[in-house]
Amino acid sequence: MGITERKEREKKQMRRQIIQAAMTMFREEGYEKTSIRKIAEMIEYSPATIYLYYKDKDELLYEVQREAFDKLYKAFTTKANHPDPLTRLHQLCKTYVHFGIQHPELYDLMFIIRAPMNVLEEKHLWTNGHVVFHYLVDCLKECMDKKLLRYKDVMILALSVWSMGHGLVSLNLRCRFKVMEMNEEQISQAIDTSIEEYLRVIKA
Amino acid sequence: MGITERKEREKKQMRRQIIQAAMTMFREEGYEKTSIRKIAEMIEYSPATIYLYYKDKDELLYEVQREAFDKLYKAFTTKANHPDPLTRLHQLCKTYVHFGIQHPELYDLMFIIRAPMNVLEEKHLWTNGHVVFHYLVDCLKECMDKKLLRYKDVMILALSVWSMGHGLVSLNLRCRFKVMEMNEEQISQAIDTSIEEYLRVIKA
DNA sequence: AAATTTACTGAACGTTGTTCATTTTATTAA
DNA sequence: TTAATAAAATGAACAACGTTCAGTAAATTT
């Protein structure tokens, strides 16, 4: 029966189209400012149609979030793959911060937006964030095995590195560094220096 | 003319009442979930009345934000005032993180929510965040004057310490640490340890 | 007591996410 | 090929939101 297969295909295609439009609009306008109605308009369907393919707006968020994590993971594997773990850690931090600044709305989606717990607790962040997070953990493990860092517990270290990176990115995205009297360029420079200095102090 | 004075007083009282209600609801339900209509209902006035005292919802945010910064500043002055600057820095970090975890919705208001630039750029964060931020800067300055920390630039250090603290708090508030397989208690412990370890590595 | 200023409100506008009865379209059966 | 059935899509509606404004109610001045 080729019809059911074709329908399956069309359904997948439609889901794809919806997510594509959502991704575009989320990136351009942000999650909050993007309405289901506008997404529907973009793909030239009725708003109600979207609800035949996705339960609610949150589900769109999860899908886009997953793709965003893929994107970050790819950035890691391509830009932070130096054999020396310490150099790799350096690349990793730079890549993370750079990603956040270059894709502010995606970063928002991934790390700042309030995600309803029900899905977040289960398999969702497990498959998404997990892979990315463990790319960092693995790097740190290798550093610690070689006694390159002044830390004993790899998880504490991972928590710390991630928090430092996220702190820099998210405070910057929310313009909170305006409290220091610096222009855009100076702040950007200061963020870079902060990473350098942080890596310096944790080095053995 | 006592009437104009009384009217002035009543106007101030009304503004106070509105902010009081807003503060309560923001803290209980968060900024987004608190509607002008519900605030109006709480103070037993029409929603339109609120607009006679405040331009829009953002203005309520700013007022509550200011009080929240006061609250954090008071927490600093009372809980982080040890004469030894290094001990004080330790107290400061603990107080900051503790504040964020104990007052999640206020923390959200202060550091996570998207604040419209127009007001944020001008005097607003200048009087609010500035005082709090410089409490940290002063502490760090004293540490550096006494060569207690492995940093050369106090601003870079301030940026770093703040980012680390904010990263820990905000990722926790948004449940992103769920990616590590830890329960609530373990995460809380890990955050504490992260601070300890961070202070250890920056110490001279 | 009348006129004027001030304080307040009900109703409305244009949004939003979401639902559901109804219609349009595609597939199957006669 | 046409009638019956299943699937897909939609228009209209609901409740809620921030905000505005013409109009009512109250207080103050004349």
Side-chain angles (χ1 to χ4, degrees), chain B residues 20 45 51 56-58 68 79 81 119 123 159 191 202:
Chain B
Q20 203 68 260
Y45 277 90
Y51 287 88
D56 52 22
K57 202 185 169 188
D58 280 333
K79 295 180 192 166
N81 51 15
V119 183
K123 280 190 277 259
L159 198 77
I191 290 172
I202 66 173

Side-chain angles (χ1 to χ4, degrees), chain A residues 53 55 63 72 112 116 126 128 133 137 148 154 158 173 184:
Chain A
Y53 295 88
K55 196 174 123 280
E63 288 293 321
L72 178 57
I112 303 183
W126 188 74
N128 294 1
F133 180 66
V137 172
L148 300 172
V154 69
L173 288 187
E184 207 102 357

Side-chain angles (χ1 to χ4, degrees), chain A residues 3 6 35-37 51 56-57:
Chain A
I3 287 178
R6 196 203 71 221
S35 69
I36 298 283
R37 283 172 164 86
Y51 287 87
D56 52 23
K57 204 185 169 189

Side-chain angles (χ1 to χ4, degrees), chain A residues 114, chain B residues 99-109 112 173-174:
Chain A
R114 252 183 245 265
Chain B
F99 181 93
I101 288 168
Q102 206 166 25
H103 311 293
E105 295 300 344
L106 286 188
Y107 191 88
D108 207 61
L109 265 171
I112 304 183
L173 287 187
R174 293 301 194 259

Side-chain angles (χ1 to χ4, degrees), chain B residues 82-86 88 136-149 154:
Chain B
H82 197 278
D84 171 48
L86 219 55
R88 194 159 73 250
L136 168 65
V137 172
D138 288 345
C139 178
L140 293 174
K141 258 193 191 125
E142 201 176 327
C143 289
M144 285 176 58
D145 284 346
K146 297 187 179 175
K147 314 276 184 206
L148 299 172
L149 298 176
V154 68

